[in-house]
Amino acid sequence: MPYRLPEDGLEVTRIRCHAAVKRAEAECRVRRRSYRWAVSLATVVVGVFVVLAGLEYVGRDTEFTSPHYEKLMSMMENAPVDVVYDMSVDAVEYYEDVSML
Amino acid sequence: MKCERASSEDLVKSLKSSGDAVRACDIMVERYYERLYWHIRRIVVLHEDAEDVLQDTFVAAYSSFEKFRGDNEGSLVAWLYKIATNLSIRALRRRRTSFFVSVDSVRNVLRADFEGEITPSADEIAVKLQRAVIGLPMKQKLAFNLRYYDELPFETISQITGQSVSTLKTNYHYAVKRIKEEVTQIEL
């Protein structure tokens, strides 16, 4: 070919090509490591968010919205006193024995 | 050299197994840097530009090897030439005066560059031939360079340029005709 070449011919070009591939490989490794770090960080953030959301869900006041509950409440409110008393006695043992007082 | 003994299939295989990618790329550089350098140089003319494009070619080959679907040396060569050709054309596009003009508009710039790139010991006929080749439109130039200098079959050139074999043959025919005309004109 009639083209002018540097004194060393293409030797430097060859070496530069090898160096360019090595550089690309190193950059690729750094990029891969950064990607792995980013994925780990994102996983931790999502995990913490899920845990916090779970704790918040468990800790909140329980609300009963069931219609059976409403019905039961109204029955309890309108029930005669002795029935309520009997039910309370069933639930908690009151020691009414004179000797205990 | 040890790497030069590796067979083509071994090269493609080792390139495909990610663990050996760097070593395989080194082998690829050893095997093809000279061929690719001259292919690029004939397009971009300047040595510095050719060196930059060649480095970019190997980096692009290394980074996107998973996209390579071939399993033999022929397809590997075609793939490397394709990357080199595209990057060379991209380098030429950067030298255009306007975004809206074709890459062929830099022919005069390349001709001027070539005059400063001629080695004193160059053969006169080779210089005339190169002058004529540089003046060709890009499609004809690629068809001529890949066929005449790199001695690639039209099927491989078709893979590189994305043109059909018949179109390439036509381009090659016109390129030869124009070169003959120009060389004869200079001689007269």
Side-chain angles (χ1 to χ4, degrees):
Chain A
M1 292 303 293
Y3 289 96
R4 182 176 52 81
L5 275 176
E7 280 178 18
D8 47 41
L10 294 178
E11 192 55 24
V12 173
T13 305
R14 186 179 67 84
I15 293 164
R16 281 183 184 155
C17 285
H18 281 296
V21 171
K22 294 272 181 302
R23 218 168 31 242
E25 196 256 339
E27 279 168 16
C28 190
R29 213 184 308 138
V30 169
R31 219 177 303 133
R32 225 179 291 141
R33 206 180 299 153
S34 309
Y35 174 75
R36 240 179 268 144
W37 270 105
V39 168
S40 307
L41 190 69
T43 310
V44 167
V45 168
V46 169
V48 166
F49 178 77
V50 167
V51 168
L52 286 177
L55 287 173
E56 206 268 338
Y57 179 77
V58 169
R60 73 180 175 170
D61 293 335
T62 312
E63 287 177 17
F64 295 100
T65 52
S66 161
H68 300 292
Y69 176 75
E70 298 292 331
K71 195 178 166 188
L72 185 68
M73 286 300 287
S74 78
M75 278 173 68
M76 289 288 283
E77 277 166 10
N78 300 323
V81 175
D82 54 332
V83 172
V84 175
Y85 177 77
D86 286 347
M87 285 173 72
S88 306
V89 169
D90 287 344
V92 185
E93 284 186 27
Y94 289 97
Y95 296 98
E96 291 184 358
D97 195 336
V98 178
S99 61
M100 289 293 291
L101 296 171
Chain B
M1 199 169 178
K2 191 185 168 189
C3 58
E4 282 172 1
R5 286 204 302 269
S7 75
S8 314
E9 284 71 25
D10 284 350
L11 175 69
V12 175
K13 214 181 282 175
S14 59
L15 272 169
K16 285 197 163 181
S17 64
S18 57
D20 285 357
V22 179
R23 190 184 149 271
C25 241
D26 283 342
I27 298 169
M28 207 159 65
V29 171
E30 288 297 329
R31 275 198 186 194
Y32 303 116
Y33 85 95
E34 205 166 347
R35 283 173 74 177
L36 289 173
Y37 170 83
W38 285 115
H39 170 62
I40 295 164
R41 183 89 191 257
R42 283 188 285 266
I43 300 173
V44 300
V45 177
L46 294 175
H47 169 73
E48 291 74 21
D49 288 354
E51 205 176 64
D52 288 346
V53 172
L54 186 65
Q55 286 178 36
D56 291 347
T57 300
F58 285 117
V59 169
Y62 170 77
S63 321
S64 61
F65 194 71
E66 66 268 20
K67 288 177 192 164
F68 174 58
R69 295 278 169 265
D71 54 1
N72 56 46
E73 194 179 11
S75 51
L76 180 67
V77 168
W79 184 65
L80 284 172
Y81 267 88
K82 189 174 185 171
I83 297 171
T85 307
N86 290 341
L87 291 175
S88 304
I89 293 171
R90 194 195 287 175
L92 286 186
R93 282 204 180 111
R94 282 199 288 266
R95 302 187 69 185
R96 285 179 301 180
T97 48
S98 162
F99 181 79
F100 300 102
V101 295
S102 141
V103 74
D104 289 325
S105 65
V106 294
R107 268 185 285 180
N108 289 336
V109 181
L110 294 178
R111 272 196 185 122
D113 286 345
F114 176 66
E115 297 307 320
E117 290 288 303
I118 300 169
T119 178
S121 58
D123 181 44
E124 202 184 330
I125 296 167
V127 173
K128 278 179 187 171
L129 179 62
Q130 260 317 289
R131 265 194 206 114
V133 171
I134 288 168
L136 292 173
M138 186 54 76
K139 284 177 182 175
Q140 291 180 18
K141 194 192 288 183
L142 284 176
F144 183 81
N145 283 347
L146 292 167
R147 183 75 191 129
Y148 180 79
Y149 290 111
D150 295 297
E151 297 176 338
L152 294 173
F154 279 114
E155 288 72 24
T156 308
I157 303 172
S158 170
Q159 286 175 29
I160 296 165
T161 59
Q163 291 175 303
S164 68
V165 172
S166 54
T167 310
L168 284 169
K169 282 179 179 170
T170 311
N171 279 331
Y172 181 75
H173 169 76
Y174 280 114
V176 171
K177 199 176 162 192
R178 282 182 74 153
I179 289 166
K180 269 182 190 169
E181 279 170 9
E182 197 166 326
V183 171
T184 321
Q185 205 177 3
I186 293 165
E187 277 175 356
L188 288 172

